[in-house]
Amino acid sequence: MSESTTNDPATGESHTRDQGEPGGQKWLSGFVSLIGLWLAASPFVYEPAQSMLWNNLLIGGAIFLLAGYNYYRISNGHPTSTGVMSLVALLALWAVVSHFAIDGQFAIDGLEVAGAGLAWSNIVSGLVAAALSAYIAYTAGRDVPRGTAAGTR
């Protein structure tokens, strides 16, 4: 986080104020990154179908890298990337529904594609990652002043 010092015109005192992201967003981004790492590693813990193995590796790896990138940005004093965290939320939602969509099955029969442990792991991890990354994107978007020109943030 960066700090700036300003002088109060009335009293002449200098005040220091934070101009960065809240520290909680940094740690939430790091936690979401770890959830992505778990999604990528979970097929090796549970018994997956081949299609779920590649799905989890790609989606989990993408979540890990994107949320890690956001953690890196916040750690270096840059603002949260709302677009990156929105994409992470969408990828996490895909991790939740992928068991039902792979092999063209959109019903509860989709759980037969992989073991029940992997399915529940993806559902819980995906929901937590989607909720946290959506929260991070929402709070980052609220901080943008109205009337700011595009690309200046």
Side-chain angles (χ1 to χ4, degrees):
M1 279 203 251
S2 64
E3 296 181 345
S4 69
T5 305
T6 59
N7 291 328
D8 187 5
T11 62
E13 296 178 14
S14 64
H15 299 283
T16 303
R17 63 181 176 155
D18 290 333
Q19 290 183 330
E21 301 294 323
Q25 285 186 4
K26 178 175 81 170
W27 296 112
L28 286 177
S29 294
F31 185 65
V32 171
S33 181
L34 292 176
I35 291 173
L37 186 62
W38 166 250
L39 284 171
S42 63
F44 301 107
V45 175
Y46 298 107
E47 190 174 313
Q50 193 66 19
S51 58
M52 292 311 300
L53 170 76
W54 287 108
N55 180 63
N56 273 30
L57 284 174
L58 292 173
I59 298 301
I63 290 173
F64 173 72
L65 291 174
L66 291 170
Y69 167 72
N70 197 53
Y71 176 86
Y72 174 78
R73 281 179 59 95
I74 296 171
S75 295
N76 289 326
H78 298 288
T80 297
S81 176
T82 306
V84 166
M85 292 313 288
S86 299
L87 178 60
V88 168
L90 291 175
L91 290 172
L93 288 175
W94 170 251
V96 172
V97 300
S98 61
H99 289 288
F100 306 109
I102 291 183
D103 288 337
Q105 300 174 3
F106 288 96
I108 197 70
D109 297 333
L111 290 176
E112 296 172 6
V113 173
L118 180 63
W120 282 110
S121 173
N122 279 8
I123 290 169
V124 171
S125 299
L127 287 175
V128 171
L132 290 177
S133 55
Y135 171 76
I136 294 167
Y138 171 74
T139 56
R142 278 189 11 205
D143 295 338
V144 176
R146 301 296 176 232
T148 302
T152 60
R153 178 162 195 234

